[in-house]
Amino acid sequence: MDDVAPLFTRSDGDYVFARWGRPIVPVVFGVDDATLAVFKGAIEAVVALAGHKMDETDMELGANLMMFFCQDWNELLDVPHLDKLLPELGTLVPRLQAADANQYRIFRFDEAGAIQAAFVFMRMDDQMAQAPADTLALSQAVQVILLWSDTAFSEVPPLAMIEGKVALRPEIGDVIRAAYDPVMPVAARDASHALRLGARLL
């Protein structure tokens, strides 16, 4: 990959990068046990690729990566205490309905700018329902391991068919590994950061 800057350059032109600064503790709501195992397996695989860590509990939040499946966005309004974690929930749900969105991610950051928590929402419309669980799981795991640009995967998705199986595109895997290099910062807002990332891909 010649230039990684577009992966972290937002549609407004700002360069914004962040990675997790603490072990990831996932929890998945609204799926059966088999699907839960698929999602946790995908998260574990991507975290291992990054060289990062998972844990059983987060001291502040209990779980810091929360994934919610629903059939209708209104269902989120009925999730106990979710509005306490996400005060913007009341205005977010109408926006998601108006956009006919089928997925949305919210990140929280610590004082150093590292990812502290992430909330993933998936509405199982026809498009989502047709996707295999392992594809959905790997896609979401990749999209929360770093704070990617809002346009990072608008043209080329992070997954591809490799030898007949859906897998993470190797160049995206390389970026994830480089981003979690211990000498790299947990957060950056200067595009020179992309040059440092790129140098680790050679």
Side-chain angles (χ1 to χ4, degrees), residues 5-20:
L7 294 173
F8 305 103
T9 303
R10 305 192 65 78
S11 52
D12 61 6
D14 288 344
Y15 185 91
V16 184
F17 166 88
R19 72 186 192 200
W20 286 82

Side-chain angles (χ1 to χ4, degrees), residues 26-94:
V27 61
V28 185
F29 300 95
V31 299
D32 58 27
D33 289 345
T35 304
L36 173 63
V38 171
F39 268 78
K40 288 201 169 181
I43 295 166
E44 288 172 357
V46 173
V47 169
L49 169 73
H52 194 52
K53 296 179 180 179
M54 295 180 67
D55 209 339
E56 292 297 320
T57 186
D58 180 270
M59 294 299 290
E60 292 181 49
L61 299 171
N64 54 31
L65 171 54
M66 303 182 192
M67 295 184 165
F68 299 85
F69 282 80
C70 62
Q71 297 292 331
D72 186 283
W73 289 125
N74 275 328
E75 295 173 29
L76 298 180
L77 299 174
D78 297 326
V79 176
H81 311 302
L82 185 57
D83 58 337
K84 301 290 193 302
L85 289 171
L86 298 170
E88 66 268 42
L89 188 65
T91 57
L92 174 62
V93 167

Side-chain angles (χ1 to χ4, degrees), residues 112-165:
I115 299 172
Q116 180 182 46
F119 302 84
V120 179
F121 305 104
M122 285 166 281
R123 180 175 65 86
M124 298 306 291
D125 62 4
D126 291 342
Q127 179 184 350
M128 282 283 197
Q130 291 174 11
D134 55 349
T135 300
L136 278 180
L138 184 56
S139 175
Q140 295 300 330
V142 169
Q143 292 184 79
V144 295
I145 195 66
L146 295 171
L147 181 66
W148 305 95
S149 160
D150 54 333
T151 60
F153 304 120
S154 57
E155 294 186 9
V156 181
L159 308 184
M161 291 295 293
I162 300 176
E163 296 181 354
K165 295 183 179 180

